[in-house]
Amino acid sequence: MSVAFHGAEFCWMNGDIVETKSALVSAMEPIHLGIFEGIKAYVENDVTSKGSLNIFQWESHVHRLRRSAAVCGMKIPYSDEALLEATRKTVRANGFDTNVYIQPRIWPKAGAMEEVHIVIPVWRFETVLGKDNPQFSKNRRFMISTWRRIASDALPAQAKTWANYGNSALALREAVRLGRDGAIFLDNRGFVSEGTGACIMAVRNARVITPPVTASILESVTRDTLLKIMPEDLSIPVEVRDIARVELYASDEVFLCGTGGEITPIGSIDDLPLGKEYPGALTKRIAEYYTDVIAGKVQKYKEWLTAV
Ligand code: PMP
């Protein structure tokens, strides 16, 4: 089995930098018990051009990786510093000097639940952020999925375990089959939960509302980041509370937030257009400020950046 990750020649596996094509395991591995993280490194000063690279919110991501491991009864036999060094080495080995996505993966070894495999693949990505990026303002038609978000007494929705992504994949496949760009889950109580790989925020009467962690959402680093910067730096009131499906349809703006999709506005849900203008003014303002934060332009949040 040979896997190429978007051109990344090298990855880190169980202690060493190896050629990605040689990072092989048995097909008998219990992959369904795996956990992972999705982390991004951005170029300083301008998220798109060349400059020094910084990992955004490294500590929060490693913290969540450890919590995901704890939930699954796995131990990570490396310190945070060792994982950071491994990540730095992997990015450098590939010679990457622009935006890099980093996805540490951990799963128990076949027949040895106490031991784990750890692999750190990396690859380049195109950001949707940045002034006048057409990818940002692209119209996105979403639907409410017919699949409910996994209940957290069935799978650990709040942790980043691969098993949860079967649920996401079914919802996304359904959406694509029906000609939509993405899906939004309701939780098992019927309240709005999240997207298939991102959290959701709605703007109503100049306030941003977002579902609580108990609505079967992943404990998202981006959501936490926005919940801090929106009220503190942009004077946008935020409310963490259950959201009814009806409220979502009748919102002025709706956007997703997550490491992968960054900040992505949604144009319509179930073909009901949202708000008066697209992308909405608040979504644009939030995305612009977030772009500055990840590019190290906001002095007080430089502590969220870790040099590669
Ligand atoms: N929910 C799900 C299901 C996700 O996969 C992600 C992406 N990791 C998020 C939310 C957003 O989390 P974060 O902001 O930490 O990337």
Side-chain angles (χ1 to χ4, degrees):
M1 184 174 64
S2 159
V3 185
F5 278 103
H6 307 253
E9 202 181 344
F10 298 100
C11 68
W12 185 92
M13 185 176 197
N14 299 327
D16 298 304
I17 294 288
V18 295
E19 271 192 281
T20 306
K21 66 176 194 265
S22 316
L24 306 177
V25 292
S26 159
M28 298 304 152
E29 291 290 319
I31 51 171
H32 57 293
L33 289 176
I35 60 166
F36 70 109
E37 257 313 310
I39 307 168
K40 276 184 173 176
Y42 287 93
V43 172
E44 184 134 2
N45 282 324
D46 176 342
V47 289
T48 50
S49 66
K50 287 191 178 174
S52 55
L53 266 185
N54 295 310
I55 301 171
F56 185 59
Q57 296 275 30
W58 166 260
E59 278 175 27
S60 302
H61 282 288
V62 169
H63 183 58
R64 186 174 62 193
L65 187 67
R66 292 201 185 274
R67 283 195 311 227
S68 298
V71 166
C72 298
M74 279 192 274
K75 288 203 173 64
I76 303 175
Y78 293 94
S79 65
D80 291 2
E81 294 69 40
L83 292 174
L84 177 58
E85 223 19 65
T87 301
R88 286 184 169 133
K89 273 190 189 164
T90 315
V91 174
R92 288 187 201 141
N94 286 291
F96 286 168
D97 55 5
T98 52
N99 303 336
V100 184
Y101 184 74
I102 302 154
Q103 194 184 75
R105 304 162 165 215
I106 305 181
W107 71 100
K109 287 187 178 167
M113 278 298 293
E114 293 301 305
E115 290 172 44
V116 294
H117 284 291
I118 306 189
V119 181
I120 308 178
V122 298
W123 57 86
R124 290 180 200 272
F125 69 90
E126 297 280 331
T127 179
V128 302
L129 299 170
K131 224 173 162 15
D132 306 322
N133 188 334
Q135 286 308 310
F136 176 77
S137 41
K138 180 178 117 177
N139 187 29
R140 293 181 182 82
R141 291 173 65 219
F142 270 58
M143 63 179 281
I144 301 288
S145 183
T146 66
W147 295 96
R148 288 292 173 104
R149 187 67 185 149
I150 40 170
S152 48
D153 57 352
L155 280 168
Q158 290 79 4
K160 208 160 168 65
T161 74
W162 282 117
N164 298 349
Y165 287 83
N167 184 224
S168 291
L170 286 173
L172 187 58
R173 282 177 175 219
E174 175 188 55
V176 170
R177 212 162 49 232
L178 297 176
R180 303 317 211 294
D181 297 292
I184 297 159
F185 282 117
L186 302 183
D187 68 12
N188 64 328
R189 303 164 306 155
F191 288 105
V192 174
S193 177
E194 61 176 346
T196 56
C199 283
I200 192 163
M201 299 205 169
V203 179
R204 301 189 104 225
N205 305 323
R207 295 175 88 75
V208 169
I209 55 174
T210 194
V213 167
T214 43
S216 287
I217 66 166
L218 179 71
E219 290 192 81
S220 151
V221 174
T222 318
R223 174 180 171 278
D224 285 349
T225 301
L226 296 187
L227 285 177
K228 180 170 171 59
I229 67 179
M230 290 186 300
E232 267 191 44
D233 302 77
L234 303 173
S235 302
I236 300 169
V238 296
E239 222 178 306
V240 175
R241 64 159 174 87
D242 280 323
I243 301 175
R245 175 181 189 157
V246 181
E247 291 182 283
L248 210 55
Y249 290 142
S251 287
D252 303 318
E253 305 173 30
V254 176
F255 62 92
L256 294 175
C257 69
T259 303
E262 302 167 324
I263 294 180
T264 38
I266 292 177
S268 64
I269 299 173
D270 295 337
D271 282 332
L272 299 170
L274 296 158
K276 290 196 204 89
E277 55 167 345
Y278 181 83
L282 233 61
T283 307
K284 279 200 278 197
R285 221 178 118 216
I286 295 161
E288 272 170 33
Y289 191 65
Y290 180 74
T291 309
D292 286 347
V293 169
I294 57 178
K297 287 185 181 167
V298 182
Q299 193 58 34
K300 67 174 179 173
Y301 296 130
K302 281 220 170 199
E303 62 187 45
W304 287 341
L305 308 183
T306 302
V308 169

